[in-house]
Amino acid sequence: MNLQGKHILLIVGGGIAAYKSLDLVRRLRERGATVTPVLTRAGAEFVTPLSLSSLCGRKVYDDLWDLTDEAEMGHIQLSRVADLIVVAPATADLMAKMAGGHADDLASTLLLATDTPVLMAPAMNVRMWTHAATRRNLGTLTADGIATVGPNEGDMACGEFGPGRMAEPLEIVEAVGIRLGGGPLAGRHVVVTSGPTHEPIDPVRYIANRSSGAQGAAIAAALRDLGARVTFVTGPADRPPPQGVDIRRVETAAEMLDAVEGALPADVAIFAAAVADWRVANAAGQKMKKGPSGLPHLDLVENPDILATIARMEEGRPRLVVGFAAETENVLENATAKRVRKGCDWILANDVSPATGIMGGAENALTLVTTDGVEDWPRDTKVAQAARLARRIADHLEASET
Ligand code: C5P
């Protein structure tokens, strides 16, 4: 990855992982980036200003009230000349300051005074990472558009095990490259459908299903993380949509089809929505009442098949069309037949029988069916499965162009 001409402002917080930030500097500079270091007071307890400035080949900024610095380069300017601000390690305290909008030292002031994109690499003790306060702060920071890499799970310096270890320098470098427009899906447009649809019976009642939208949201986020421009067409899902994607909210299957068609052209389309197969033809304009005339009569008609409609487009069809097959029996057989019937390129099959806990749960086990064969993706988190799919798509597009 080439970071030539890119300027990164690296804020080093006070955690044991700060030593990895020295290696991070080396890796960034190897790829051509200029790195200006900012060291918090706590950070200076873990790495010295001298080692940081030697590795960066630049002066370390570490004190908001240094008047010489203010005369040479004010803190506001310092944050704005950078293409990206990287906070590594982002300690629980730094995250809290960022989420709260504090500005009581150089690092927090820089972060508040800038509109430069920010990438943080959290690192802290497991309990601190899982604490409700840190969860809240992470939610706020994500909603504010701050990107995160890691933390990873593993043995920690404090002797505990779990999530909280800072991402490795090379993982941070990859995330930096993606933020700076160098991801493998940069320049690609992907449309993702997600969530259930609601088909009205009358103004207050509807037909729905148990889809939470978790897998679709994870897929959209993973594609975004590889640099794709993502249009996320979502029914009324439980899970919030990811940040940094173009969100189109719909209720019904007909609206979903319109939104997908309106979002084209796209390089790739992924249909993760659990679309209702039927809608009520005679949906009432007013709330239906119990009454002497007996039970209401609902006429069902078939909804448009969005996946099949797009997969069979004669002109402007996305190069790669991916469907899902949520099955409760004969999963592989049904999925293989479904791929052909719908005319899509790939099908991801999963077993949604209640015993698997997949529908609405955090994990998924998938089987990828393509023209070339079948691949099993063993049970893993929906986030990990999404990352695998995004990576697979990037590889496929690259291979089909060479
Ligand atoms: O036929 P079935 O509902 O099992 O097909 C599942 C796949 O087709 C999923 O990818 C789903 O998003 C898509 N689908 C669709 N429009 C429909 C029904 C299903 O796009 N009306």
Side-chain angles (χ1 to χ4, degrees):
M1 180 196 310
N2 185 0
L3 296 175
Q4 208 68 41
K6 300 294 183 191
H7 188 158
I8 290 157
L9 187 77
L10 174 66
I11 296 178
V12 179
I16 184 65
Y19 78 93
K20 290 199 212 170
S21 302
L22 298 176
D23 189 33
L24 173 63
V25 170
R26 216 165 51 83
R27 306 285 187 177
L28 290 168
R29 291 196 67 202
E30 273 168 10
R31 288 162 179 76
T34 302
V35 184
T36 300
V38 174
L39 189 57
T40 66
R41 195 168 303 228
E45 301 287 334
F46 293 88
V47 293
T48 68
L50 185 60
S51 41
L52 206 48
S53 70
S54 309
L55 282 166
C56 291
R58 294 169 85 83
K59 170 182 170 49
V60 174
Y61 292 85
D62 59 2
D63 192 342
L64 179 57
W65 308 113
D66 185 329
L67 290 177
T68 334
D69 287 351
E70 279 298 297
E72 278 173 18
M73 184 185 262
H75 57 265
I76 297 205
Q77 201 192 342
L78 186 60
S79 64
R80 294 193 187 160
V81 291
D83 298 296
L84 182 70
I85 300 181
V86 177
V87 188
T91 59
D93 180 58
L94 250 177
M95 283 177 61
K97 278 183 168 173
M98 287 161 80
H102 292 223
D104 59 356
D105 63 3
L106 178 59
S108 53
T109 305
L110 287 171
L111 287 159
L112 194 63
T114 192
D115 54 5
T116 302
V118 178
L119 169 72
M120 63 173 182
M124 64 198 73
N125 166 273
V126 184
R127 298 218 185 283
M128 290 167 91
W129 175 248
T130 52
H131 194 282
T134 307
R135 305 278 90 207
R136 263 197 315 277
N137 293 334
L138 180 66
T140 304
L141 293 170
T142 307
D144 288 348
I146 290 179
T148 307
V149 52
N152 296 339
E153 194 170 284
D155 286 321
M156 308 198 51
C158 53
E160 291 186 52
F161 180 91
R165 275 165 67 119
M166 188 167 89
E168 294 306 316
L170 284 181
E171 292 174 305
I172 301 177
V173 168
E174 185 174 327
V176 165
I178 287 164
R179 289 294 129 191
L180 293 173
L185 289 175
R188 310 282 192 188
H189 178 212
V190 186
V191 177
V192 179
T193 70
S194 182
T197 63
H198 285 182
E199 309 294 336
I201 295 171
D202 68 19
V204 296
R205 304 181 179 95
Y206 52 81
I207 299 176
N209 60 65
R210 296 184 199 282
S211 165
S212 65
Q215 186 65 83
I219 290 169
L223 293 160
R224 172 206 64 198
D225 286 348
L226 293 190
R229 175 166 75 84
V230 179
T231 303
F232 185 64
V233 181
T234 176
D238 296 344
R239 302 298 159 91
Q243 295 290 312
V245 301
D246 183 1
I247 300 162
R248 312 273 167 92
R249 292 179 200 275
V250 298
E251 292 265 331
T252 65
E255 288 168 10
M256 189 171 271
L257 175 61
D258 278 350
V260 170
E261 287 178 331
L264 298 180
D267 299 283
V268 180
I270 302 174
F271 296 89
V275 183
D277 288 323
W278 311 282
R279 68 178 183 279
V280 178
N282 54 339
Q286 303 296 328
K287 185 179 172 205
M288 293 161 80
K289 301 270 186 217
K290 278 188 286 194
S293 51
L295 293 173
H297 177 86
L298 300 180
D299 286 324
L300 296 181
V301 285
E302 204 157 315
N303 265 330
D305 190 316
I306 307 167
L307 168 61
T309 307
I310 302 301
R312 299 201 183 285
M313 281 173 72
E314 295 198 345
E315 257 175 64
R317 178 193 191 272
R319 267 171 57 200
L320 183 65
V321 176
V322 183
F324 273 78
E327 306 288 342
T328 53
E329 55 186 355
N330 304 330
V331 176
L332 185 58
E333 216 175 302
N334 287 338
T336 308
K338 191 169 285 180
R339 194 188 74 77
V340 176
R341 197 168 65 244
K342 302 240 185 187
C344 59
D345 305 297
W346 295 358
I347 277 263
L348 281 155
N350 56 0
D351 183 348
V352 291
S353 342
T356 65
I358 281 174
M359 200 119 182
E363 294 188 335
N364 206 351
L366 292 166
T367 303
L368 173 67
V369 183
T370 72
T371 34
D372 300 332
V374 174
E375 262 173 49
D376 273 322
W377 295 1
R379 199 172 174 114
D380 206 336
T381 62
K382 289 183 175 176
V383 170
Q385 299 288 30
R388 191 167 290 146
L389 175 62
R391 181 55 67 184
R392 190 77 164 62
I393 288 171
D395 292 346
H396 174 82
L397 293 182
E398 201 189 320
S400 65
E401 267 163 18
T402 49

